[in-house]
């Protein structure tokens, strides 16, 4: 019997291997997200909240339309998930199934803060404490799926976690004296200490429930948002220093908190300097492809910053040139810039001690 030549088999095997490798596996098996409206992707859609974005023109540049993301397109965590090698964006916890729990979910909720009362004037929201309760429920489901606690712990120890809290504790608490008494109770220094103490306890809960690779996103330059410029800037251009300096105090304490957690067994915490990255972009917007930095692409009033985008409002056409999409939230263009630098630091000051690309490899 004649032997069949196997010479054609090798190229075929190589071709199949190349096809399989074309979509490399993600750099980490899972990515979990905690935060507020900067990264919420739909968890507030079905709750009684004014902090919702599940209507056009939100999502005008996103393939799925208005999903609940507070932007025209991608958020920073969408950009990060892509850079980490995930095929799909990390889904909102509110609609996630068991399979999705294995690769990570997004617990973020618009108007949420470190403090439970933060954002209450906007109705329901899932505070960081509530997000942690949802995470603990998800961990119990993972234990069931994977069979035992050790397997779940091993799985979670490889995941990346990003946590971005604190913006609303300033925006929708400390600097809203008509509704909240915190600014009468505390100096900015004292308030930062109170926030960091509570945040530290909350992050300890996260660590005790398996999180080992954790990136803390610093609070950005809230005093440069169109909303604050509209209300408190004389010329509508100069950032509100009183707000930014209070946030800088908080961020500095956040760096110290990262150092503290890195003393824990197996912990790899890092700080993403969103404030500094924003500052760098504002210093030379043109170099980053941006021409408009002080007003929203859509919104109402001075700087398009007094009210967020109205349902079905027509936004600006040149969205890729705007830093801000609405009164508070960056455009997809800005989110991609921040996401890229969180993943791969452009300046040493962007992260402390490591960027997300390095964190994935630890």
């Amino acid at each position: 019997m004649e032997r069949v030549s196997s010479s054609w088999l090798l190229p075929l095997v190589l071709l199949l291997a190349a096809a399989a490798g074309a979509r490399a596996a993600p750099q980490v098996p899972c990515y979990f997200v905690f935060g507020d409206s900067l990264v919420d992707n739909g968890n507030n859609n079905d709750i009684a909240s004014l902090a919702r974005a599940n209507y056009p023109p939100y999502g005008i540049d996103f393939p799925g339309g208005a999903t609940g993301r507070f932007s025209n397109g991608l958020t920073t965590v969408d950009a990060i998930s892509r850079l980490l090698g995930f095929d799909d964006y990390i889904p909102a916890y509110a609609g996630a199934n068991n399979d999705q729990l294995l690769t990570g979910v997004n617990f973020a909720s618009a108007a949420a803060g470190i403090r439970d009362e933060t954002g209450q004037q906007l109705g329901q929201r899932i505070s960081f404490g509530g997000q942690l309760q949802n995470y603990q429920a998800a961990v119990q489901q993972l234990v069931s799926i994977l069979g035992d606690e050790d397997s779940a712990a091993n799985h979670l120890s490889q995941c990346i976690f990003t946590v971005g809290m604190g913006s609303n504790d300033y925006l929708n608490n400390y600097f809203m004296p008509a509704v909240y008494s915190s600014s009468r109770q505390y100096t900015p220094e004292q308030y930062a200490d109170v926030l960091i103490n509570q945040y530290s306890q909350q992050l300890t809960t996260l660590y005790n429930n398996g999180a080992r690779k954790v990136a803390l996103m610093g609070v950005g330059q809230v005093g440069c948002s169109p909303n604050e410029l509209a209300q408190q800037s004389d010329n509508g251009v100069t950032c509100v220093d009183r707000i930014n300096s209070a946030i800088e105090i908080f961020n500095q304490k956040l760096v110290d908190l990262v150092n503290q957690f890195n003393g824990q067994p197996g912990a790899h915490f890092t700080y993403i300097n969103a404030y500094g990255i924003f500052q760098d972009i504002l210093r030379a917007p043109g170099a980053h492809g941006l021409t408009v930095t002080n007003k929203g692409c859509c919104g109402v009033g001075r700087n398009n910053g007094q009210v967020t985008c109205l349902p079905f409002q027509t936004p600006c056409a040149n969205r890729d040139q705007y830093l801000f999409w609405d009164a508070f939230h960056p455009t997809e263009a800005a989110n991609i810039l921040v996401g890229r630098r969180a993943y791969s630091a452009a300046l040493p000051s962007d992260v402390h001690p490591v960027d997300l690309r390095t964190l994935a490899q630890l």
Side-chain angles (χ1 to χ4, degrees):
M1 189 175 139
E2 193 182 338
R3 283 185 61 197
V4 177
S5 167
S6 62
S7 61
W8 62 273
L9 269 175
L10 186 62
L12 181 67
V13 168
L14 290 174
L15 189 69
L16 289 171
R23 272 305 328 178
Q27 293 148 42
V28 288
C30 32
Y31 176 23
F32 290 93
V33 178
F34 299 84
D36 52 30
S37 59
L38 292 170
V39 296
D40 184 351
N41 62 345
N43 287 311
N44 276 23
N45 288 356
D46 297 318
I47 63 176
S49 174
L50 294 172
R52 297 199 337 219
N54 56 338
Y55 58 86
Y58 288 95
I60 190 170
D61 300 312
F62 189 78
T67 55
R69 287 167 169 81
F70 287 74
S71 188
N72 58 306
L74 305 187
T75 65
T76 50
V77 299
D78 291 327
I80 288 166
S81 68
R82 274 288 164 92
L83 290 165
L84 286 170
F86 289 94
D87 285 344
D88 297 320
Y89 300 119
I90 303 301
Y93 174 69
N97 59 40
N98 276 359
D99 284 350
Q100 290 172 317
L101 284 182
L102 282 166
T103 49
V105 290
N106 182 337
F107 296 98
S109 169
I114 294 167
R115 290 169 72 89
D116 287 342
E117 84 275 7
T118 287
Q120 65 188 5
Q121 86 282 1
L122 294 166
Q124 287 181 7
R125 68 256 164 252
I126 309 159
S127 68
F128 188 35
Q131 292 177 38
L132 286 169
Q133 285 177 342
N134 286 339
Y135 170 66
Q136 285 171 289
V139 170
Q140 289 313 307
Q141 284 174 271
L142 282 174
V143 171
S144 301
I145 295 164
L146 295 169
D148 57 55
E149 287 192 2
D150 284 351
S151 302
N154 180 50
H155 180 72
L156 290 167
S157 72
Q158 301 170 62
C159 308
I160 278 187
F161 294 74
T162 56
V163 186
M165 303 300 306
S167 297
N168 287 312
D169 295 293
Y170 287 95
L171 193 64
N172 287 303
N173 192 323
Y174 194 75
F175 289 109
M176 199 172 273
V179 183
Y180 301 93
S181 61
S182 50
S183 61
R184 293 184 289 280
Q185 284 177 275
Y186 307 110
T187 64
E189 182 78 30
Q190 289 169 334
Y191 189 61
D193 278 331
V194 167
L195 287 179
I196 290 288
N197 285 339
Q198 189 169 350
Y199 206 16
S200 175
Q201 289 168 19
Q202 292 164 333
L203 292 166
T204 299
T205 299
L206 191 63
Y207 173 83
N208 288 342
N209 283 273
R212 292 296 177 268
K213 299 182 179 190
V214 182
L216 302 182
M217 314 294 279
V219 176
Q221 290 190 300
V222 174
C224 302
S225 66
N227 181 262
E228 297 304 334
L229 294 178
Q231 290 183 59
Q232 303 191 51
S233 174
D234 292 338
N235 60 4
V237 177
T238 308
C239 299
V240 184
D241 187 56
R242 189 172 62 95
I243 296 175
N244 283 348
S245 58
I247 285 165
E248 281 190 288
I249 296 169
F250 173 82
N251 284 336
Q252 186 49 58
K253 292 179 191 294
L254 207 48
V255 175
D256 297 337
L257 192 61
V258 161
N259 294 337
Q260 199 179 308
F261 271 101
N262 282 334
Q264 299 287 336
H268 298 288
F269 277 60
T270 195
Y271 167 73
I272 308 296
N273 184 11
Y275 188 102
I277 294 169
F278 241 73
Q279 204 168 32
D280 189 52
I281 293 168
L282 281 171
R283 214 175 277 133
H288 297 89
L290 303 174
T291 57
V292 185
T293 61
N294 68 323
K295 64 180 185 182
C297 170
C298 77
V300 177
R302 190 181 182 210
N303 295 73
N304 275 352
Q306 284 166 295
V307 180
T308 57
C309 309
L310 299 176
F312 301 97
Q313 183 182 7
T314 303
C316 68
N318 53 336
R319 296 182 280 279
D320 56 345
Q321 294 175 27
Y322 273 66
L323 180 62
F324 285 97
W325 162 247
D326 67 7
F328 304 102
H329 308 100
T331 55
E332 173 182 273
N335 285 331
I336 288 172
L337 287 173
V338 175
R340 270 190 202 145
R341 287 174 70 161
Y343 177 75
S344 180
L347 296 173
S349 59
D350 285 356
V351 298
H352 171 84
V354 296
D355 55 24
L356 295 176
R357 178 164 61 174
T358 308
L359 187 64
Q361 293 163 2
L362 294 176

